[in-house]
DNA sequence: CTCCATGCGTACCGTACGGTACGGTTCCGA
DNA sequence: TCGGAACCGTACCGTACGGTACGCATGGAG
């Protein structure tokens, strides 16, 4: 209730004040250039010009802060599905290509990589140690990020099938194939430290090849249509 | 020189004594069930019944210990390339299928996942912080693990091409496609904490589909051969 | 003007970890 | 039998971090 009136400036998100979002932005900067070890409560407070006490009041915990960072960043990703013209065969190809480019772009982003590293580093194999309240960071990232972009792909594939350009039984399976063709092992390699800039050079070619391969596997011959 | 005589029992690896390898084994156990935070020098010493001083004498540093863990585990992976009969079309398919199964098996292994999480968690975005001496843990893992299994795939693909069953220009590109078709996003999801056991159930089906798709993309019609 | 909430800055505390030092024991070669 | 090297167990030190408490400034409400 305390954040209803005093910061209705329009930049709010998920019930957080602008100030708090600014703090999360600072924290993300720290994370990107220093890894998880750089995100100390004192460090975030110093970088954001706020007090540690405020941090604990707002986010309750260091884990709460990390979760808030993930949620905040995920909220910024907007999947622009301008798929109102996926009727022609060429249009479908264009849309698939755009999707491939966007996917590679998102996955190679500094912030995305840093957050994935954070969530993965936090993950434990057997028992759940911390995370008393909410779900695991990894689960959080999966829900907020992957599901989003997956839905865009699903609608695109569904439109393609409805228009008679694609043929598949299981949409998830088809999406998995598309994802694999596009991403291959680049995501892992970037997570392991390989320079994203070096890999970005071949993104365009890879995206085109992936789309071509995908259409070869799941596309119905356009000449036989209509 | 001190490890030449007193431990020639046969289990040595990479210039480490059996005792040291046993310590690394303990450390890996800790890592698997507790994540990176569980691999403390004191914890490893306690679990392995050795002294911290010995740890530092053997591995020099905590980073050295982690590197040694990666090297040790990588040395255990043996790529059994029994590809002496990849002449028939069916043999190639069998070999590809076996490769797919092995790849998914390796990637879903507890130790593999834990080490990947460790290396990824250690990775920093911008500047290299620690790692004064050797390369990054991520790089190490990539060299030792990925290269190994990649080489097996490369020879397999090359044999397939030489026998006239496969057609491709760039072997790396073809391997990338094969990898993507097999793995898709399962590796990432497991790294993020998704239960490997649940995913393993569909490994067999996925492997077969991947091989089929790969052959559809890169295989030449067997009936036109010879 | 007064009161009080919010929040900054800082100091503080407990703990846990990396790394080092020391004493005691075992084992091997001379 | 002696000497020494390796090594275990433990104690120790410095530091860094998570979390808490206190003092002070600001700014809006009554």
């Amino acid at each position: 209730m305390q954040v209803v009136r005093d910061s209705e400036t329009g930049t709010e998100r998920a019930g957080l004040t602008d100030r708090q979002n600014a703090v999360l932005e600072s924290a993300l900067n720290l994370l990107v250039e220093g890894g998880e070890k750089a995100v100390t409560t004192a460090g975030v407070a110093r970088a954001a010009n706020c007090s540690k006490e405020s941090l604990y009041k707002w986010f309750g915990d260091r884990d709460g802060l990390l979760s808030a960072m993930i949620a905040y960043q995920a909220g910024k990703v907007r999947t622009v599905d301008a798929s109102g013209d996926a009727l022609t065969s060429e249009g479908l190809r264009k849309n698939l290509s755009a999707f491939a480019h966007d996917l590679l772009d998102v996955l190679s982003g500094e912030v995305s990589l840093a957050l994935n590293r954070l969530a993965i580093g936090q993950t434990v194999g057997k028992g759940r140690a911390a995370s008393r309240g909410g779900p695991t960071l990894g689960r959080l990232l999966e829900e907020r990020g992957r599901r989003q972009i997956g839905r865009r792909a699903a609608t695109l594939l569904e439109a393609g099938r409805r228009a008679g350009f694609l043929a598949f039984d299981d949409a998830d399976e088809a999406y998995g194939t598309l994802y694999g063709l596009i991403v291959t092992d680049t995501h892992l390699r970037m997570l392991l430290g390989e320079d994203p800039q070096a890999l970005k050079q071949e993104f365009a070619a890879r995206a085109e090849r992936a789309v071509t391969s995908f259409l070869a596997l799941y596309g119905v011959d356009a000449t036989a249509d209509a």
Side-chain angles (χ1 to χ4, degrees), chain A:
Chain A
M1 295 299 184
Q2 71 271 25
V3 296
V4 178
R5 205 50 171 320
D6 57 354
S7 61
E8 198 85 20
T9 63
T11 329
E12 286 193 16
R13 204 191 309 271
L16 297 179
T17 69
D18 293 356
R19 181 83 181 95
Q20 290 162 15
N21 285 327
V23 169
L24 292 179
E25 196 71 45
S26 294
L28 281 178
N29 278 343
L30 280 181
L31 177 68
V32 165
E33 66 182 77
E36 189 215 329
K37 295 217 8 149
V39 187
T40 69
T41 55
V44 172
R46 195 180 331 115
N49 285 328
C50 74
S51 73
K52 287 174 63 175
E53 202 170 11
S54 301
L55 285 185
Y56 283 96
K57 168 176 286 200
W58 292 334
F59 307 107
D61 204 345
R62 184 174 180 262
D63 271 15
L65 174 64
L66 299 180
S67 301
M69 288 166 62
I70 291 182
Y72 169 73
Q73 175 66 15
K76 281 164 71 173
V77 182
R78 275 285 158 264
T79 69
V80 284
D81 51 343
S83 62
D85 58 335
L87 294 169
T88 77
S89 166
E90 195 56 32
L92 174 64
R93 198 183 209 288
K94 271 272 171 39
N95 271 319
L96 284 173
S97 177
F99 172 77
H101 280 86
D102 287 0
L103 179 59
L104 288 173
D105 256 13
V106 168
L107 261 43
S108 65
E110 293 275 12
V111 185
S112 163
L113 288 175
L115 281 178
N116 274 279
R117 292 198 190 103
L118 170 66
I120 289 174
Q122 221 75 356
T123 306
V124 191
K126 297 272 175 88
R128 296 281 170 272
S131 76
R132 20 154 245 273
T136 317
L137 290 186
R139 203 66 79 181
L140 225 170
L141 195 66
E142 220 171 10
E143 297 287 333
R144 302 264 187 166
R146 186 152 317 227
R147 291 273 202 278
Q148 283 282 6
I149 202 156
R151 225 170 279 287
R152 170 180 170 188
T155 60
L156 181 55
L157 294 185
E158 196 58 44
R161 177 165 68 173
R162 222 179 282 272
F165 295 125
L166 295 177
F168 53 82
D169 295 331
D170 187 350
D172 283 342
E173 175 187 315
Y175 169 57
T177 301
L178 178 61
Y179 182 97
L181 287 171
I182 295 172
V183 178
T184 64
D185 65 344
T186 43
H187 200 190
L188 215 333
R189 279 166 52 192
M190 290 188 296
L191 286 174
L192 283 171
E194 204 150 321
D195 184 20
Q197 221 58 33
L199 292 175
K200 276 189 178 177
Q201 292 188 326
E202 42 172 299
F203 275 1
R206 176 191 305 277
E208 295 313 314
R209 283 197 294 107
V211 171
T212 301
S213 296
F214 181 76
L215 288 177
L217 288 174
Y218 289 94
V220 307
D221 197 339
T223 62
D225 172 63

